[in-house]
Amino acid sequence: QQQVKQSPQSLIVQKGGISIINCAYENTAFDYFPWYQQFPGKGPALLIAIRPDVSEKKEGRFTISFNKSAKQFSLHIMDSQPGDSATYFCAASKNYGQNFVFGPGTRLSVLP
Amino acid sequence: EAGVVQSPRYKIIEKKQPVAFWCNPISGHNTLYWYLQNLGQGPELLIRYENEEAVDDSQLPKDRFSAERLKGVDSTLKIQPAELGDSAVYLCASSLGVGASTDTQYFGPGTRLTVL
């Protein structure tokens, strides 16, 4: 029940295309859902986050869609760029941001 | 503002040897986390500190792992003795803490441990 499932494991997108990564969770106590971006040799960095009282949050080219009833949320990267090539992790936590449970990650490659 | 600092960045040791990792969180951040990240996987929490108190160490293998956060600032994670399966990246993160309006976790670059 503590797991967060993430798909796909890897994703290849052409420059300018839309990248979509999906996550699903079981624990209904989760109340904070961040997405982290990680480049090789670096620690994860927060990209965007959402709380379950909204169904969508957009920041620039990045959008989180949240479906509370289905216990799913997804990251959409519009106009994907080669610089977006990285590993993306979804996460979930309860008690507002503490003790994250991370998904296994999606390796995104954006082709020039 | 400086980010989370970790050292060393890389460490290679023989099995059964001890090893220690150091973390300096962002100034003013009361909560500190140690995560383990295996290759191709997401980070897994080892221990969380609120100031100098370890409030969640349920995932820390206490037979060989130990951690401390003296004075509620810097932290050290130790493994003694190291095993081959301990090869991974050890990440430190920090956040403002309970009661803050936002509790974003900021990660350091990690220490890549290789046990031979």
Side-chain angles (χ1 to χ4, degrees):
Chain A
Q1 198 178 30
Q2 283 293 98
Q3 282 188 329
V4 175
K5 298 180 180 179
Q6 184 173 348
S7 64
Q9 187 174 16
S10 63
L11 180 62
I12 299 175
V13 175
Q14 293 286 340
K15 178 182 176 181
I18 301 173
S19 304
I20 301 174
I21 305 171
N22 301 298
C23 284
Y25 63 97
E26 290 294 325
N27 191 339
T28 55
F30 288 145
D31 60 5
Y32 181 68
F33 302 89
W35 284 89
Y36 277 79
Q37 179 189 56
Q38 186 175 30
F39 293 104
K42 305 290 186 182
L46 178 68
L47 194 60
I48 187 173
I50 198 169
R51 303 198 69 195
D53 52 349
V54 297
S55 60
E56 185 173 284
K57 183 174 182 180
K58 183 176 181 179
E59 291 183 1
R61 297 184 293 111
F62 303 92
T63 300
I64 299 179
S65 297
F66 185 82
N67 186 329
K68 187 174 181 179
S69 60
K71 292 184 285 187
Q72 296 175 348
F73 58 110
S74 60
L75 175 69
H76 292 62
I77 305 175
M78 311 299 288
D79 188 25
S80 298
Q81 299 296 312
D84 297 330
S85 297
T87 299
Y88 292 81
F89 295 96
C90 61
S93 73
K94 48 186 176 180
N95 300 325
Y96 192 36
Q98 299 177 28
N99 289 14
F100 288 177
V101 176
F102 282 86
T106 296
R107 179 172 289 186
L108 172 65
S109 297
V110 181
L111 303 180
Chain B
E1 178 183 279
V4 176
V5 179
Q6 290 188 247
S7 69
R9 291 295 315 278
Y10 306 91
K11 189 74 176 179
I12 301 174
I13 61 172
E14 303 258 332
K15 64 180 181 181
K16 300 185 181 180
Q17 293 300 306
V19 65
F21 314 122
W22 174 80
C23 173
N24 179 241
I26 293 173
S27 177
H29 281 196
N30 297 318
T31 306
L32 184 146
Y33 311 77
W34 283 103
Y35 287 89
L36 165 73
Q37 186 175 26
N38 287 305
L39 186 65
Q41 297 184 25
E44 300 171 33
L45 181 71
L46 289 172
I47 189 168
R48 173 168 64 92
Y49 282 92
E50 296 290 345
N51 299 302
E52 65 274 12
E53 181 183 359
V55 295
D56 186 348
D57 63 357
S58 58
Q59 301 303 311
L60 190 72
K62 298 180 184 62
D63 56 336
R64 298 184 300 107
F65 286 66
S66 64
E68 61 181 12
R69 192 185 183 197
L70 301 176
K71 300 182 181 179
V73 181
D74 295 2
S75 178
T76 302
L77 178 69
K78 297 178 181 178
I79 308 175
Q80 182 172 10
E83 297 179 352
L84 294 176
D86 296 331
S87 295
V89 174
Y90 292 82
L91 294 164
C92 179
S94 70
S95 65
L96 284 170
V98 175
S101 59
T102 175
D103 211 34
T104 300
Q105 292 187 24
Y106 297 86
F107 283 81
T111 296
R112 181 178 296 276
L113 173 67
T114 301
V115 182
L116 303 176

